[in-house]
């Protein structure tokens, strides 16, 4: 409950989101001025990107769209997450924009930067998601597919590396923006120590090319705490066991 209330009511959350998008805009400006800058992680870039058109890659949920009402319903109803409830929420097309997200996306597009939305929403929510983004004022290119959801037929799994690499074939990526580690690199579904090692691999990117939005409600950080038990009483015990008391 506290996590959801913080995201819905805290001025600090709003300030952090605005801070993140101010940093993202600086990353765009720096990237446009320096053709050597590329935000893709190691192994996802093929060739020299200097002559390619500029782009940014953003996650959707809790990065550009605020789904805290869905989380609030779960709290209010004392219910657990379910795929059917999530799908129904997506079909409502009611998520509002995260503070600063629309202004950033529009400013980037005005500078000739293509905004790609790489999301782990299922392909079945494609139309609803695109309509929700458009209703909130996000730029959606007509000449290129910029909304890339999960798609088993195309081999697009929850790891986003293949989709990032596909974008990188035609674009130089100036910034990655997300709320969970997998928005920036593959391999995030790992133990807590392994995830910390991944962070350390890209120290020069954080805050410069990679911008993180706060999300205390859910994410791969929570999955790491529940390994290998999964969402159960044992997992809850694992969470308690992870608390630092000193």
């Amino acid at each position: 409950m506290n996590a959801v209330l913080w995201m819905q009511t805290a001025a600090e959350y709003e300030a952090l989101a605005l801070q993140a998008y101010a940093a993202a805009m600086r990353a765009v400006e720096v990237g446009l001025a320096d053709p050597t800058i590329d935000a893709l992680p190691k192994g996802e870039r093929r060739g020299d990107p200097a002559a390619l058109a500029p782009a940014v890659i953003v996650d959707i949920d809790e990065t550009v769209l605020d789904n805290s009402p869905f989380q609030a319903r779960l709290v209010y109803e004392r219910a657990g997450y379910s795929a059917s409830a999530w799908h129904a929420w997506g079909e409502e097309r009611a998520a509002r924009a995260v503070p600063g997200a629309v202004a950033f996306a529009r400013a980037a597009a005005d500078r000739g930067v293509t905004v790609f939305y790489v999301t782990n929403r299922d392909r079945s929510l494609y139309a609803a998601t695109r309509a929700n983004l458009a209703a909130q004022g996000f730029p959606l290119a007509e000449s290129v597919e910029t909304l890339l959801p999960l798609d088993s037929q195309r081999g697009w799994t929850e790891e986003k590396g293949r989709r990032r690499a596909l974008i990188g074939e035609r674009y130089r990526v100036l910034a990655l923006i997300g709320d969970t580690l997998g928005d920036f690199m593959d391999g995030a579904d790992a133990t807590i120590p392994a995830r910390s090692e991944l962070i350390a691999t890209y120290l020069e990117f954080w805050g410069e090319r990679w911008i993180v939005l706060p999300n205390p409600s859910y994410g791969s950080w929570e999955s790491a705490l529940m390994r290998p038990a999964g969402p159960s009483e044992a997992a809850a015990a694992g969470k308690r066991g992870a608390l630092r008391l000193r």
Side-chain angles (χ1 to χ4, degrees):
M1 181 182 289
N2 274 358
V4 176
L5 286 171
W6 183 78
M7 294 180 75
Q8 290 190 330
T9 69
E12 291 85 351
Y13 168 73
E14 182 178 359
L16 281 168
L18 293 172
Q19 176 177 275
Y21 279 110
M25 198 66 241
R26 287 194 296 273
V28 166
E29 298 289 4
V30 170
L32 288 173
D34 184 350
T36 68
I37 287 179
D38 179 51
L40 288 184
K42 300 176 181 70
E44 293 180 14
R45 166 61 62 199
R46 304 288 187 270
D48 183 2
L52 299 178
V56 295
I57 299 174
V58 301
D59 172 55
I60 291 182
D61 297 311
E62 279 48 75
T63 297
V64 299
L65 290 182
D66 169 16
N67 300 286
S68 63
F70 171 74
Q71 299 293 331
R73 294 176 191 181
L74 297 182
V75 173
Y76 190 79
E77 296 167 3
R78 301 190 179 192
Y81 171 88
S82 73
S84 60
W86 170 251
H87 187 90
W89 161 254
E91 287 292 353
E92 288 185 37
R93 310 175 184 199
R96 299 177 182 177
V98 169
V102 173
F104 163 77
R106 285 178 171 175
D110 287 345
R111 287 162 174 76
V113 178
T114 301
V115 181
F116 283 90
Y117 306 87
V118 178
T119 176
N120 279 348
R121 291 187 174 202
D122 189 74
R123 180 78 188 180
S124 61
L125 281 172
Y126 182 94
T129 301
R130 188 176 177 89
N132 198 162
L133 289 168
Q136 291 297 310
F138 288 99
L140 291 156
E142 296 295 336
S143 59
V144 62
E145 182 181 18
T146 55
L147 175 56
L148 282 64
L150 289 176
D151 191 334
S152 59
Q153 291 187 344
R154 302 174 75 170
W156 293 355
T157 67
E158 290 190 355
E159 293 221 310
K160 296 182 174 181
R162 289 188 66 175
R163 284 174 279 172
R164 287 190 296 261
L166 179 65
I167 293 167
E169 291 177 5
R170 295 178 56 191
Y171 295 86
R172 179 168 63 95
V173 180
L174 309 183
L176 301 178
I177 307 165
D179 69 297
T180 191
L181 198 56
D183 296 331
F184 304 93
M185 65 185 85
D186 286 355
D189 184 18
T191 64
I192 294 171
R195 285 162 57 82
S196 292
E197 291 177 9
L198 287 174
I199 293 288
T201 304
Y202 291 93
L203 288 179
E204 72 279 12
F205 279 25
W206 301 111
E208 300 293 336
R209 304 180 194 182
W210 293 359
I211 310 299
V212 187
L213 275 292
N215 178 6
S217 289
Y218 68 91
S220 55
W221 64 270
E222 184 181 23
S223 302
L225 289 172
M226 296 190 297
R227 290 170 65 90
S232 64
E233 284 299 317
K239 287 185 178 182
R240 288 193 294 272
L243 291 170
R244 286 191 293 115
L245 305 181
R246 294 184 181 178

